[in-house]
Amino acid sequence: MLRSQIIGTVRKTCRAFGTTARSCSEHTSAVSGFGFQLSEDQQSIQETAKQFSRDVIIPAAPHHDKTGEYPTDVIKQAWELGLVNTHIPTDYGGIGLGVFEAALVSEQLAYGCTGIQTAIEANTLAEAPVILAGNDAQKRKYLGRMTEEPLMAAYCVTEPGAGSDVAGAKTNAVKRGDKWIVNGQKMWITNGGKANWYFLLAKTDSAANAGKAFTGFIVDGNSPGITVGRKEWNMGQRASDTRGITFEDVEVPDENRLGEVGQGFKIAMGAFDITRPLVASAAVGLAQRAMDEATTYALQRKTMGKSIIEHQAVAFMLADMAINVESSRMMVWRAAWLRDQNKRNTYYASIAKALASETANK
């Protein structure tokens, strides 16, 4: 499909979603119960992402994986097609898709390159807290600009000594007048060196328990006192920009505080309910690509006068791959669908992420 045709398809779909639904929850709530048949709009979105992955990402992926060069041009093209920031509400210039549709896109992008997909999806992770807890002014300022030009954002939560243990984070923010002074270090931040702004989780009450000790902030990327570390050379996903970010007496206006003081942990965890299914869907895309490559090889390679796919041992391996890929995809769909129905999906989102990632690793 020509690029102009892809753009036309996406723009038509985006307009349809913009006029028929302000959010995915409204869109999917019109569907009675849960089904496995994608709507025409969903199929169109999926096909657009698939074509972009095959036509643009796959040819570019080897270069970015070998050099570690950030895929700026690829991301710009994806943004022009509407494949970036898909979940930003229409009130703030976005197309207002939900987690389910975003998962369809994420899987296809990851099929081409998980490094490029991770760079794109990092925007979702940073924007999710703003969508969940931001006021109208914050959303217009920080979400609105993401729809006006291909900017990147980053989610600053992980620290050198606190990865999955978010409650162990030590970066702190102290209130002084109408500003907060932030000090601390974040680590392994995707898009760290490219972000226009950061979502930052900082401790504001050292005496409180984790549920009330943290507050979320939006921090402009050009704020004085921010030091961006070196690019980490990852074992994989080298197209992704992963860095440490140091905050030294960084001033953040109180107007950039997300939600109430002490609600940051809750906000951050709420964002994971949106982003876990998308991380899982990317793992499904990678697993599907691995299975497709393995199947192609098994059809081409011959031993003992026949393709190795005809040998039972190899056929069983491919069958196990298919079982795990399909199971992972269904769990992603369930977790995403639940979130779009405004139902708690933490349990299923966690299963989806664990299952899909293990499937991809196998």
Side-chain angles (χ1 to χ4, degrees), residues 215-231:
T215 302
F217 300 92
I218 304 172
V219 183
D220 287 302
N222 60 358
S223 299
I226 292 179
T227 301
V228 177
R230 66 177 176 83
K231 173 181 167 63

Side-chain angles (χ1 to χ4, degrees), residues 20-36:
T20 62
R22 287 180 176 270
S23 66
C24 186
S25 62
E26 294 177 18
H27 170 69
T28 55
S29 63
V31 180
S32 177
F34 184 83
F36 297 98

Side-chain angles (χ1 to χ4, degrees), residues 224-240:
I226 292 179
T227 301
V228 177
R230 66 177 176 83
K231 173 181 167 63
E232 299 294 324
W233 190 251
N234 301 330
M235 293 179 64
Q237 298 190 346
R238 299 188 184 95
S240 171

